[in-house]
Every structure is written in structure tokens, then in C-alpha cells.
Amino acid sequence: QVQLQQWGAGLLKPSETLSLTCGVYGGSLSVNYWSWIRQPPGKGLEWIGEINYTGSTNYNPSLKSRVTMSVDTSKNQFSLKLSSVTAADTAVYYCARMFYFGSGNYYIDYWGQGTLVTVSS
Amino acid sequence: QSVLTQPPSASGTPGQRVTFSCSGSTSDIGSNTVNWYQQLPGTAPKLLIYNNDERPSGVPDRFSGSKSGTSASLAISGLQSEDEADYYCAAWGDSLNGYYVFGSGTKVIVL
């Protein structure tokens, strides 16, 4: 049973960089893709991007200029950095596993517990 | 920023059947499989339906999914109070370099 445990700073000031890490337990980073999703308070889900064990990434075009994802296979962890945050980036951030089963076919089967990140001066 | 359109809410009484839609385009639903997620208040989403109409182990068969063209639907039969939650459709979008898109979400209310 795969478990995802995430951590990172929950309160940021505008212009700072958001940084979150997700540990993968009971499974290997070497299969599937690993993603970040966010949800502003009271709103819907937004996919931020994905990374695989080689470090190959794919980002949401609307966030691409500010997002960096990385992977540490030795620790079985992957991370998210989002630069130049504003109040609009206030959200619960989830790490997740994206199961890939063919061209254009994915589903998210495991989620982290979520981290509320608040951006406020 | 949702690309997939869902009705904001759907409702029914216990035991009823509720159905709602997810509308996309040829570059997302029309080209790739659809997944559905259930989100109970204060919790992370949970995979409900994958590959258009398949249920993960443990998901009751009261939940069913379908897809036709650029739209998909989720049906809940024998509605129960614990089904009151937010439901999101999602699919891979082929535009640009490709990215995963979620629907706007539908809140199911059990009357």
C-alpha cells in the first residue's frame, strides 16, 4: 500500500518561494509519475505538474514559468517549488501518484494528506 | 481555470439515482480516458472511476461512469447520505505539451 507524506512551510509572504516535499512509502518512485495538485479554499482542483524518476517533467502551462519539480530517488522523495507567490497561490497543496497506462491515459490513485499554504503579508 | 465543465450541483433523496455530466473537447475527453474523484469535506480526493467506467477495488457498484464523444457522466444509484460530497471529472488534455485537467466540480446534495 503506497502512502504519501508531505511537508513544507505553511505561511509565506508575497514574492517568496513555496517549497514542499513528498515522501513515498511502500512504493518506488521508479514507476509511474508523481504530481502536485492544489485547491484554493472553497474552489476546485488544479493540476500543477508531474515528474518521473528520471526527472522528466510536465507542467500546467498556466504555472510553468514559476514551477520547478525535482526528484530524489535515494530518499524516495519528490519536491515542488513555486516562485514569486501571491495571495492567489493560497491553497491546499496535495502530492499524488499518477498511474500511467498508455498514451494520454492517467489516473491519480494515491494522494498525500494535503498542506495548507497561505500567502499573506 | 477548469477546462472541463460540470454543473455546480446535483441533488436527490436517499435511494434515488443522480446523474451529472462533464463536458470537454476533442483534445481532452474526446481523445483520452476520463476519471472521477470524490472529495468528502476536509479530505483529499479519492479515485472513484478510472478509464471511463472502471471502479477501483472497494468502490461500491452504485457508482458508474460512462463516456460518449467529448462528454462523460457519473451516475450514483441508490443515493446514500454518505454520498454527499464534491465530485470532479478529469482527463489528460493534449493541447500544448499536454496536461491533466480537472472539471469544475459538482456538489452532490442528499435531501
Side-chain angles (χ1 to χ4, degrees):
Chain A
Q1 179 78 355
V2 174
Q3 291 188 336
L4 305 179
Q5 183 75 27
Q6 57 185 101
W7 61 91
L11 181 60
L12 297 173
K13 290 182 166 51
S15 80
E16 292 185 333
T17 296
L18 178 157
S19 181
L20 296 172
T21 298
C22 184
V24 179
Y25 305 95
S28 172
L29 272 179
S30 300
V31 290
N32 297 300
Y33 287 79
W34 305 89
S35 65
W36 292 94
I37 295 111
R38 70 179 185 178
Q39 184 172 36
K43 296 187 178 181
L45 301 166
E46 180 179 34
W47 185 79
I48 300 171
E50 65 177 0
I51 189 168
N52 70 5
Y53 76 102
T54 68
S56 177
T57 57
N58 197 8
Y59 299 143
N60 187 321
S62 69
L63 297 169
K64 187 174 183 177
S65 62
R66 297 193 292 132
V67 172
T68 303
M69 292 185 185
S70 59
V71 63
D72 186 337
T73 55
S74 67
K75 295 182 179 179
N76 231 31
Q77 296 173 357
F78 61 105
S79 298
L80 167 71
K81 290 189 187 299
L82 180 67
S83 64
S84 305
V85 297
T86 69
D89 295 310
T90 294
V92 174
Y93 286 75
Y94 295 100
C95 61
R97 187 179 88 164
M98 292 193 76
F99 185 86
Y100 175 71
F101 61 104
S103 178
N105 295 309
Y106 294 84
Y107 57 82
I108 299 172
D109 54 356
Y110 293 101
W111 298 73
Q113 80 276 20
T115 300
L116 174 60
V117 176
T118 302
V119 180
S120 174
S121 56
Chain B
Q1 196 243 346
S2 301
V3 177
L4 306 181
T5 302
Q6 298 178 238
S9 65
S11 61
T13 57
Q16 275 191 329
R17 176 182 170 91
V18 171
T19 303
F20 47 93
S21 62
C22 171
S23 178
S25 69
T26 53
S27 62
D28 38 68
I29 292 178
S31 304
N32 302 304
T33 58
V34 177
N35 310 309
W36 290 90
Y37 301 91
Q38 177 193 58
Q39 187 176 32
L40 298 171
T43 69
K46 166 192 164 185
L47 180 65
L48 199 64
I49 297 287
Y50 68 98
N51 197 20
N52 302 326
D53 57 9
E54 298 194 51
R55 284 185 306 276
S57 174
V59 172
D61 59 6
R62 304 186 290 105
F63 295 93
S64 61
S66 64
K67 175 185 134 174
S68 178
T70 58
S71 292
S73 293
L74 180 70
I76 310 173
S77 59
L79 192 65
Q80 298 182 6
S81 58
E82 57 260 38
D83 298 334
E84 187 159 294
D86 293 320
Y87 294 81
Y88 295 91
C89 60
W92 188 258
D94 290 335
S95 61
L96 300 173
N97 288 328
Y99 64 102
Y100 199 62
V101 293
F102 286 99
S104 47
T106 297
K107 180 164 185 61
V108 168
I109 300 165
V110 181
L111 301 170

